[in-house]
Each structure stands twice: as structure tokens, then as C-alpha cells.
């Protein structure tokens, strides 16, 4: 029984000793690293004598690297002594130095050349000799670093220095006896220095070298020189391009190596503006056409680059195209979009290819999706439905996620180009919103607000055919997209989608937002576990509340917010209510915030959780800024809240924050400048006007709906009366005074005139709004008995959409006859009179209007 405890004890002690060994080992390694760091930092400010000492054989690699890194500082301190004593030592050390020290030396010499530290030509010569000597380093990374140093230094060097120090060695390195890396470096140096000299010097001294490198036996050299032809062409000008460069470019475009052909194709695209129309039509177009056909048949690697540059190619040559050439390029683009796919029953399915080939075809289709907006512009957006719609639908339904993601990323550009014909791609928008991949949805969300606003506005304002934006399809797609993002682990996509929801008040109706999105926002706030998502849902909910135009719905939203957030059981929900208060302070006016949100926030002073009280203390200055100086009651409540916290608070963090807040509250009215306070007051007045505008719009819409309902009931009653009495002599209204009936007319003529008079009197009439500062007036229709038309126009939604509109203070009906009831019921006018606090002038004016209309009805009845 005693064996097992001893065994376990031995194992325990053994593990302790092993762990101690590892601990001491890592401690020693860490100590050595710290010593090395100390040595490096110790020699940041080196003297020349110390640098020479470290560069000798007695120094270590770390010390030598420190001298090389600090070489620009030594040059600034004493250039002459540094170049006489230190730089030769550096040159000797670089012969045996490793890659790290070589890279450090390349960076230091580049700093010396670019910072204008070197003032003497001999110093520049010594540095360039070191750079050119290390261009042939056996390590490719090191040689490329020295080459980049030389290319970057060329911009800072004078012309004569380049001619003597760089071009002279260069003329000997282009020969076939030199290595391939040396000839590749010569190509890049030629492309860099050609812009420093005149075209005559380039043509005389450099063009023979350029032709030789373009015809090199190694395809890497030919491809590298081909890519430098763009800089060379811009250096020699348009006159020599057609004679000297274009023949070489045509020959390289027909090279046997695909890398060279690809380099020639890219260079041609970059130089399209350098060629005239004749060269584009006679030389470039046949060359590009043959290149495209050859790539499509079997060169998939080059085909990927061709598909990526296809948009630039089409736009660069579009001005010189004939109709047949234009059609050929468009058809070739359609072939590229369907490369590797087969269409069955309207769906795109990938054909069975090897994995490598399938990936190349997918890359080609992705590049086509990237260039699709450019091709829409190339093909004319007016021909989108006939030419490109099926291609775009194929890209949006592509089996590869990367292709659909790219199409979604450029969807807003296509929407802009289509303009009034945006309804063509509404189905594709719904498809991308409902895509199974969150990557596609994420790409679409980057510009979803702009896409939705353009789609709906263009669809509504561009004629009857474009009014095909099917909102019932859009709303379920948005809801499904949100649920899919919420169920995934990609909370950033969910947050971005909720941020895009803030544009919905400009896209769909308030009822759809209230019934489909409001409760969902509350659910996200109370149940989601990600704080950024919760805060974005709070902001979106505030935006929905801000632009809701129905008082009942607004009251319902506010009551739900107070019930589930301000009075929620979880302190997390109460914290979100304080976040909501911060947002509503920015969105709403001060009076609206104080009326609906301030008191529940102040009641959280007694919250049992310290985090809530802490955040409330932090927010007290903002809450104080919303209270007007005239509102003494709210100021007293805020002061009571602060006093209660000062007396009862025990949490030290809350107390510390509270003390800072009290000091800030005391300084608020003193430290704030007048102009900032005045700007805030103007902004608050603007918000109040907008909120009042929403209430007045709601009132007008309600009056309009009541008038329409009364008119419908009146028309139904007239139809029943007309069926009961065919004579119609007792039911004639005053509005038919202009259409007099003759006693000699027949029974059918009287029926026609009776129907016409009833159709005229059966429409509800409202006032015409003319002045925003005055109440609406009703014209006296009795002054013109011969006219059967009213001077009042109906109010529709288009009159209610602008921000500045005229508000009707009273709407008085125009009765048609003494025996017929008025079209707008009297309870509407009575409720409006009750709102005006019993204004006697308004009532007397209405009474006079009714008397005149009754007298007019009696007169018309007599007639």
C-alpha cells in the first residue's frame, strides 16, 4: 500500500527537476538575447574609431552590423573621414558577410545616396562601385536587394554620374557571355535610365542594346526587356515609337514562349494611347485577335492574364473598332465567362476537368466578373438585356464562390450604369442576398446601401416599365440574409449587415420595417452575445424610430424599449439602453429625448449593478446637455440623481468617475464657447422642425385617408340612389349648375347628364396648398355658377415627400347640394377646430363658406 505514494512522489520530483532545467535553459537564452540587444543599442551612436575597431577581425557580427546600420549617421558627422577610413573597411567586410549584413548594407547605402549626404563626386563613385560589385552576388535575394538600391538611387543621381558610373559598365554586361541575372539586371537598368536622357541619345546609344536584349536566346531576358519597352517608348517619344519599338513589340507578341507573349500583351495594353488610329486598326487589332484565339485554344496561363486586362483592352481599342470588330470582342468575352461550364436547364454546372485546369478556368471567370462593369460600358447599357443579361446571370449563379463574390463586389457599378433599366438585375440582387456563402454576402454588403437606394429610386422614377422593383421579394431576402449571418460565427458580417439596414427607411415603407424588422432588432439586442453586433442593432433601431411616420407605432417602439431595455432583468440590457440614449441624443432633438428617454435613464441611479451606475455617471454630462435651462423640473431631477450617487455610492470606480463627472458638470456652462453652443442650438432647432414635419405629414395622411373613405362611401350611396330612382330630378346637386338640362331632351339624355353630374360631385375635394405661413383658403364656387369644377386639389404622397411643404390648418368641404351630405364629414373639421383652441375667426369664416355653398346649392336646385 505504501509503494504507490513513493512512486507518485518520485514522478512528481522528477517532473519538477525537468521543469527547472527547462526554466534555467530558457533563462540563459533570454539573457544572451538581452545582452545582444544591449550591445546593439549601445553602439547606436558610434564614433569613427569605434566603428573601425568593430569592423576589424576582433569584432563580432552583431557589432559589424551595427556599424553598417549606423553608416548614414557617421557620414553626417564627418563625411570625409567616414569615406576615407570606414567605407573601405565595409567593402572588405561585405566580401565575407552573410545575407543579413548584405541587406543592411544595401539599405544604408541607399539612404546615403537619397538623402543628399554625399557632396563630393568621389564619394558617390566609391558607393556605386560597392553597389555594382555586389550585383553579381550568388544569392538571388541579395543581388535583387542591391539592384533595387541602384534603381532607387538613379532618381537622385545626376545625369553625368549615371553616364560614367552606370552606363559604361552596363554596355559590357548585356553580352551573351554574361550570366542571365546580369543580363536581367541590364534590362531593368535600361528601363530606368532611359528617362534621364534625350531621345537622340537614347536612339543612338541605347536602342542597339535594347534590340539585342529583345532578341536574347533566353526567354526570361526577352520577357524582362519586353516589359521595359513601356518606359523606353515614353522616353523616346511618339516619333520613334512607330519605327523603332512597334516592330519589336509585334515580334515579341508572336514569340514561342508564352511568358514573352504575355509580357508583350501587357505592354501593348499599357501603350494603347501611344498608337494612332491606323496602327490600332491595322496592326494592334489583328495582333490581339490572334493572341486571344491562340490563348483560348490551349494556353490557360496566359488566358488568365488576358481576362484580367480585357476591360482595358476593349476600352483602349473601342474608338477604332468597326461594328464587326466590336461584336467579335463582345462574343469572345461571353465565351470567357462560360469557360469550363455547361448550361443545363438554365443552371451553370462545372464540367469534370482536372483540378489544376478547373482552378485556372475559375480564375478566368473571376477576372471576367471583375471586368463586367467595363464591358457593360463597352457594349452600351441600353443593350444590356439583349447582349449581356444572360452572361451576368451566369456569373451570379456560377458554381465557384470566388466568381460570385467578385460579381457581388461590382454589383453597385452595374446598377449605376443601368440607370432606369436597373430592374433587369433585381432578380440577381435577390439571388446574391440569398447566396449560401457568407463571402458573397460580405462582398455585396460593402456597397449594399448605395445599391438598394439606386435600385429603388431608379425603378420608381423612370417610367411605368421600370416600376418592377418587387419589394415583397426584397424584404424576405434581407430577413433571410440577416438570419444566416446571425447563425454563423462571422459576427463582422452580421454587424455590417445591420449597418446597411439603416438605409431601409429610404428603401421600403415604414409598415414593412415595423412588422418585419423592429422586433428582430430588439431580439438581437437582448439575446446576441457579441457587443459590436448589439450596438449596431441599437443604432439601427434608433434610425427606424427616427424615420417612422406613425405615432402609434412610435409609441409602441418606445414602450417596448423601456420595458425590455431600461427595465430589463439583465443588466446587459440596461447597459444597452444607455448606449441607445447616446445614439438618440445625436439623432433626436433635446425636447424629444427628454420627453421619452431621459427619465428612465436617470432612474438607473438605483441600479443594483455597479457597471450600470458607472456608465450612467460617465453619461451624466451628455444627459445634462439635453436639458434646456428653462426646464427646472428635469434639472432638479438630475441634481437629485447626482446627490443620491454622492451619498449612497460605495463602489470605488463609480465614486472616482462620479467625482470627475461633477467637476465636468460644474464647468459645462463656463468652458463651452459661444459659437459651439450656438451651432448645437441651430442643429437642435432643425431636428425639432423635422420631427414636427413628421407629425404634420402623419396628420395630413390621416385626413387624406378619411376624406378618401368618405368619398368612397358617398359614391356608393349615390350609386344606390341612382338605381332606386331613374328620374333623378330630386337628387341633382349644385355642382351640375354648369351642365343645364333641356326639358325637350329625351330620357336617355337626362340619364347621361345625371350620371355626369354625379361623377363630378362624387370626388372628395381638398384644399390647394399655396403658402406655408398662411392657412389654406377655399375659393367661393358660388361666384361662378357656370363652372362645375372645384379649385381644390387632392393630396398625394408626392406632395408629402419634400421636407418643406405647406400645412393645411383647416379643410372645409364643398357641398354639392342642400339635399346631399358633404363629402368630408363634419367631425374632421370639428376636430381641427378643437385643436385651434376655439378660434372664432376660423369658425365664422367656415360658417360663411357653408352659407355661400348652401345658397349656391339652392340656386342651382331652382335652376
Amino acid at each position: 500500500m505504501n509503494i504507490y505514494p513513493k512512486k507518485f512522489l518520485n514522478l512528481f520530483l522528477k517532473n519538477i527537476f525537468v521543469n527547472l532545467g527547462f526554466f534555467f535553459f530558457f533563462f540563459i537564452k533570454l539573457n544572451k538575447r538581452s545582452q545582444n540587444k544591449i550591445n546593439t543599442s549601445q553602439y547606436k551612436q558610434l564614433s569613427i574609431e569605434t566603428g573601425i575597431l568593430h569592423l576589424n577581425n576582433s569584432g563580432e557580427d552583431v557589432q559589424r552590423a551595427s556599424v553598417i546600420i549606423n553608416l548614414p549617421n557617421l557620414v553626417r558627422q564627418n563625411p570625409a573621414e567616414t569615406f576615407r577610413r570606414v567605407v573601405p573597411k565595409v567593402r572588405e567586410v561585405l566580401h565575407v558577410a552573410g545575407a543579413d549584413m548584405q541587406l543592411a548594407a544595401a539599405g544604408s547605402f541607399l539612404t546615403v545616396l537619397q538623402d543628399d549626404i554625399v557632396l563630393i563626386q568621389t564619394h558617390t563613385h566609391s558607393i556605386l562601385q560597392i553597389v555594382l560589385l555586389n550585383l553579381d552576388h550568388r544569392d538571388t535575394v541579395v543581388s535583387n536587394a542591391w539592384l533595387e538600391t541602384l534603381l532607387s538611387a538613379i532618381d537622385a543621381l545626376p545625369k553625368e554620374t549615371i553616364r560614367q558610373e552606370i552606363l559604361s559598365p552596363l554596355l559590357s554586361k548585356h553580352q551573351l557571355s554574361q550570366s542571365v541575372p546580369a543580363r536581367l539586371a541590364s534590362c531593368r537598368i535600361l528601363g530606368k535610365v532611359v528617362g534621364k536622357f534625350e531621345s537622340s541619345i537614347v536612339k543612338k546609344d541605347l536602342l542597339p542594346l535594347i534590340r539585342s536584349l529583345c532578341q536574347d536566346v533566353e526567354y526570361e531576358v526577352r520577357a524582362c526587356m519586353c516589359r521595359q519597352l513601356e518606359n523606353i517608348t515614353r522616353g523616346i517619344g511618339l516619333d520613334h515609337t512607330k519605327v523603332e519599338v512597334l516592330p519589336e513589340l509585334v515580334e515579341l507578341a508572336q514569340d514561342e514562349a508564352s511568358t514573352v507573349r504575355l509580357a508583350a500583351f501587357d505592354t501593348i495594353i499599357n501603350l494603347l494611347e501611344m498608337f494612332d488610329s491606323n496602327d490600332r486598326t491595322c496592326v494592334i487589332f489583328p495582333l490581339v485577335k490572334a493572341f486571344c484565339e491562340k490563348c483560348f485554344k490551349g494556353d490557360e496561363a496566359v488566358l488568365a492574364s488576358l481576362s484580367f486586362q480585357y476591360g482595358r483592352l476593349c476600352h483602349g481599342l473601342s474608338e477604332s473598332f468597326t461594328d464587326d470588330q466590336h461584336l467579335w470582342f463582345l462574343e469572345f468575352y461571353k465565351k470567357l465567362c462560360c469557360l469550363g461550364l455547361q448550361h443545363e436547364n438554365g443552371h451553370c454546372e462545372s464540367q469534370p476537368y482536372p483540378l489544376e485546369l478547373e482552378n485556372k478556368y475559375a480564375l478566368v471567370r473571376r477576372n471576367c466578373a471583375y471586368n463586367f462593369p467595363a464591358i457593360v460600358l463597352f457594349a452600351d447599357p441600353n443593350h444590356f438585356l439583349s447582349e449581356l443579361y444572360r452572361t451576368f446571370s451566369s456569373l451570379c449563379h456560377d458554381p465557384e464562390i470566388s466568381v460570385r463574390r467578385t460579381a457581388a463586389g461590382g454589383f453597385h457599378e452595374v446598377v449605376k450604369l443601368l440607370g432606369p433599366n436597373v430592374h433587369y438585375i433585381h432578380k440577381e440582387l435577390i439571388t446574391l442576398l440569398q447566396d449560401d456563402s457568407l463571402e458573397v454576402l460580405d462582398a455585396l454588403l460593402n456597397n449594399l446601401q448605395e445599391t438598394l437606394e439606386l435600385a429603388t429610386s431608379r425603378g420608381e422614377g423612370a417610367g411605368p416599365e421600370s416600376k418592377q422593383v418587387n419589394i415583397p421579394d426584397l424584404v424576405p431576402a434581407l430577413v433571410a440574409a440577416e438570419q444566416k449571418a446571425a447563425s454563423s460565427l462571422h459576427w463582422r458580417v452580421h454587424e455590417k449587415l445591420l449597418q446597411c439596414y439603416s438605409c431601409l427607411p429610404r428603401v421600403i415603407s415604414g409598415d414593412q420595417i415595423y412588422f418585419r424588422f423592429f422586433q428582430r432588432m430588439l431580439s438581437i439586442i437582448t439575446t446576441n452575445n457579441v457587443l459590436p453586433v448589439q450596438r449596431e442593432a441599437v443604432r439601427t433601431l434608433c434610425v427606424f424610430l427616427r424615420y417612422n411616420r406613425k405615432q402609434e407605432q412610435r409609441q409602441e417602439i418606445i414602450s417596448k424599449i423601456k420595458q425590455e431595455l431600461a427595465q430589463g432583468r439583465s443588466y446587459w440590457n440596461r447597459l444597452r439602453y444607455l448606449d441607445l440614449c447616446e445614439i438618440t441624443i445625436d439623432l433626436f432633438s433635446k425636447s424629444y429625448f427628454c420627453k421619452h428617454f431621459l427619465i428612465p435613464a436617470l432612474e438607473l441611479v438605483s441600479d443594483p449593478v455597479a457597471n450600470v451606475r458607472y456608465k450612467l455617471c460617465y453619461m451624466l454630462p451628455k444627459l445634462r446637455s439635453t436639458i434646456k435651462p428653462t426646464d427646472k423640473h428635469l434639472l432638479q431631477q438630475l441634481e437629485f440623481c447626482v446627490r443620491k450617487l454622492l451619498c449612497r455610492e460605495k463602489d470605488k470606480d463609480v465614486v472616482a468617475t462620479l467625482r470627475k463627472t461633477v467637476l465636468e458638470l460644474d464647468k459645462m456652462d463656463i468652458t463651452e464657447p459661444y459659437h459651439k453652443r450656438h451651432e448645437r442650438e441651430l442643429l437642435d432647432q432643425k431636428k425639432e422642425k423635422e420631427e414636427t414635419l413628421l407629425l404634420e405629414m402623419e396628420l395630413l395622411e390621416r385626413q387624406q385617408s378619411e376624406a378618401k373613405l368618405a368619398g368612397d362611401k358617398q359614391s356608393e350611396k349615390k350609386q344606390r340612389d341612382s338605381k332606386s330612382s331613374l328620374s333623378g330630378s330630386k337628387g341633382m346637386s349644385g355642382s351640375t349648375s354648369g351642365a343645364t338640362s333641356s326639358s325637350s331632351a329625351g330620357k336617355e339624355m337626362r340619364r347621361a347628364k345625371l350620371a355626369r353630374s354625379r361623377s363630378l360631385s362624387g370626388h372628395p375635394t381638398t384644399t390647394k396648398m399655396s403658402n406655408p405661413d398662411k392657412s389654406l383658403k377655399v375659393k367661393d364656387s358660388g361666384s361662378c355658377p357656370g363652372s362645375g369644377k372645384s379649385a381644390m386639389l387632392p393630396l398625394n404622397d408626392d406632395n408629402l415627400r419634400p421636407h418643406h411643404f405647406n400645412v393645411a390648418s383647416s379643410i372645409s368641404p364643398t357641398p354639392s347640394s342642400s339635399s346631399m351630405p358633404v363629402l368630408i364629414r363634419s367631425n374632421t373639421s370639428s376636430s381641427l377646430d378643437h385643436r385651434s383652441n376655439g378660434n372664432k375667426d376660423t369658425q365664422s369664416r367656415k360658417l360663411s363658406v357653408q352659407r355661400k355653398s348652401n345658397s349656391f346649392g339652392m340656386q342651382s336646385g331652382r335652376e
Side-chain angles (χ1 to χ4, degrees), residues 423-459:
H423 60 278
Y424 292 156
I425 59 173
H426 179 256
K427 186 183 298 184
E428 280 64 39
L429 175 61
I430 304 300
T431 301
L432 293 176
L433 281 173
Q434 296 175 343
D435 196 275
D436 296 333
S437 174
L438 278 179
E439 296 180 15
V440 179
L441 181 61
D442 189 18
L444 186 65
L445 291 178
N446 292 329
N447 298 279
L448 183 62
Q449 295 190 34
E450 184 181 8
T451 301
L452 293 178
E453 291 176 8
L454 288 174
T456 53
S457 62
R458 298 284 176 87

Side-chain angles (χ1 to χ4, degrees), residues 283-405:
V283 180
I284 302 300
F285 174 74
L287 187 65
V288 172
K289 183 179 179 181
F291 179 79
C292 293
E293 291 176 346
K294 188 173 183 179
C295 292
F296 192 80
K297 290 180 180 178
D299 202 347
E300 293 82 9
V302 180
L303 198 60
S305 179
L306 169 65
S307 60
F308 183 76
Q309 299 276 10
Y310 203 80
R312 292 182 59 193
L313 176 65
C314 292
H315 279 280
L317 297 176
S318 59
E319 297 180 356
S320 305
F321 277 163
T322 62
D323 293 340
D324 294 338
Q325 293 172 347
H326 188 279
L327 182 61
W328 187 91
F329 268 89
L330 192 59
E331 293 297 328
F332 185 79
Y333 174 78
K334 295 179 184 179
K335 291 180 182 179
L336 291 178
C337 292
C338 299
L339 188 64
L341 297 178
Q342 58 182 357
H343 294 269
E344 293 183 1
N345 299 325
H347 298 283
C348 298
E349 297 180 359
S350 57
Q351 296 181 3
Y353 289 108
L355 181 61
E356 183 179 0
L357 187 60
E358 185 177 348
N359 293 334
K360 290 180 180 180
Y361 287 159
L363 178 60
V364 171
R365 298 198 303 273
R366 187 180 69 186
N367 293 335
C368 290
Y370 171 78
N371 284 293
F372 189 82
I375 300 300
V376 172
L377 193 61
F378 172 72
D380 190 358
N382 294 325
H383 301 153
F384 176 82
L385 187 61
S386 59
E387 297 290 344
L388 290 174
Y389 173 72
R390 294 187 62 184
T391 302
F392 185 63
S393 179
S394 174
L395 293 174
C396 293
H397 292 84
D398 195 275
E400 287 293 330
I401 296 176
S402 60
V403 180
R404 303 197 305 273
R405 183 181 65 240

Side-chain angles (χ1 to χ4, degrees), residues 216-278:
D216 196 277
V217 294
E218 297 292 336
Y219 74 91
E220 297 100 330
V221 180
R222 298 197 302 271
C224 183
M225 193 66 249
C226 182
R227 293 192 181 277
Q228 303 302 321
L229 288 180
E230 178 183 356
N231 297 329
I232 295 170
T233 300
R234 300 185 189 280
I236 64 177
L238 295 175
D239 297 335
H240 302 290
T241 299
K242 187 173 182 179
V243 179
E244 303 293 342
V245 178
L246 188 58
E248 295 293 335
L249 201 56
V250 171
E251 185 176 354
L252 290 171
Q254 299 173 353
D255 196 275
E256 59 183 7
S258 60
T259 307
V260 181
R261 294 198 305 270
L262 180 58
F265 176 74
D266 294 337
T267 306
I268 288 173
I269 293 176
N270 295 330
L271 294 175
L272 283 176
E273 70 274 5
M274 303 287 291
F275 303 126
D276 55 18
S277 179
N278 188 26

Side-chain angles (χ1 to χ4, degrees), residues 475 478-488 494 497-498 501 504 512-529 533-534 536-538 540-541 544 557 560 564:
V475 172
L478 290 172
V479 173
E482 190 275 326
Q483 292 176 353
K484 180 172 58 182
S487 61
S488 68
H494 195 196
L497 179 60
L498 295 178
Y501 274 4
L504 291 183
Q512 289 176 316
I513 293 176
Y514 178 76
F515 290 110
R516 300 300 299 270
F517 296 98
F518 161 64
Q519 191 60 41
R520 180 57 184 165
M521 293 301 106
L522 275 180
S523 176
I524 293 173
I525 296 170
T526 55
T527 60
N528 198 281
N529 296 325
V533 174
Q534 285 185 323
E536 198 58 49
V538 168
T540 304
L541 179 62
F544 290 167
I557 293 174
K560 283 288 186 67
E564 298 191 17

Side-chain angles (χ1 to χ4, degrees), residues 122-138:
T122 56
H123 297 165
T124 307
H125 174 73
S126 60
I127 293 178
L128 289 177
Q129 287 297 320
I130 297 175
V131 173
L132 293 173
L133 181 63
N134 289 278
L135 284 178
D136 299 330
H137 197 277
R138 60 182 178 274

Side-chain angles (χ1 to χ4, degrees), residues 132-260:
L132 293 173
L133 181 63
N134 289 278
L135 284 178
D136 299 330
H137 197 277
R138 60 182 178 274
D139 192 345
T140 307
V141 177
V142 174
S143 62
N144 288 333
W146 285 107
L147 179 59
E148 293 297 332
T149 300
L150 179 61
L151 295 177
S152 301
I154 286 175
D155 295 331
L157 295 176
K159 186 185 302 183
E160 290 301 324
T161 303
I162 295 174
R163 180 191 291 272
Q164 295 175 6
E165 304 293 339
I166 298 177
L167 283 184
S168 298
L170 184 66
L171 294 176
S172 62
K173 285 191 175 184
H174 78 284
Q175 299 175 359
L176 294 177
S177 59
Q178 297 293 327
S179 63
V180 174
R183 301 204 298 272
L184 291 174
S186 300
C187 295
R188 297 190 63 185
I189 294 172
L190 278 173
K192 191 70 176 181
V193 303
V194 73
K196 297 288 253 182
F197 300 98
E198 293 79 6
S199 59
S200 58
I201 299 177
V202 174
K203 182 179 179 181
K204 179 182 177 181
D205 298 335
L206 300 181
L207 276 181
L209 179 59
I210 292 170
R211 291 197 199 95
S212 175
L213 291 172
C214 286
Q215 298 173 3
D216 196 277
V217 294
E218 297 292 336
Y219 74 91
E220 297 100 330
V221 180
R222 298 197 302 271
C224 183
M225 193 66 249
C226 182
R227 293 192 181 277
Q228 303 302 321
L229 288 180
E230 178 183 356
N231 297 329
I232 295 170
T233 300
R234 300 185 189 280
I236 64 177
L238 295 175
D239 297 335
H240 302 290
T241 299
K242 187 173 182 179
V243 179
E244 303 293 342
V245 178
L246 188 58
E248 295 293 335
L249 201 56
V250 171
E251 185 176 354
L252 290 171
Q254 299 173 353
D255 196 275
E256 59 183 7
S258 60
T259 307
V260 181

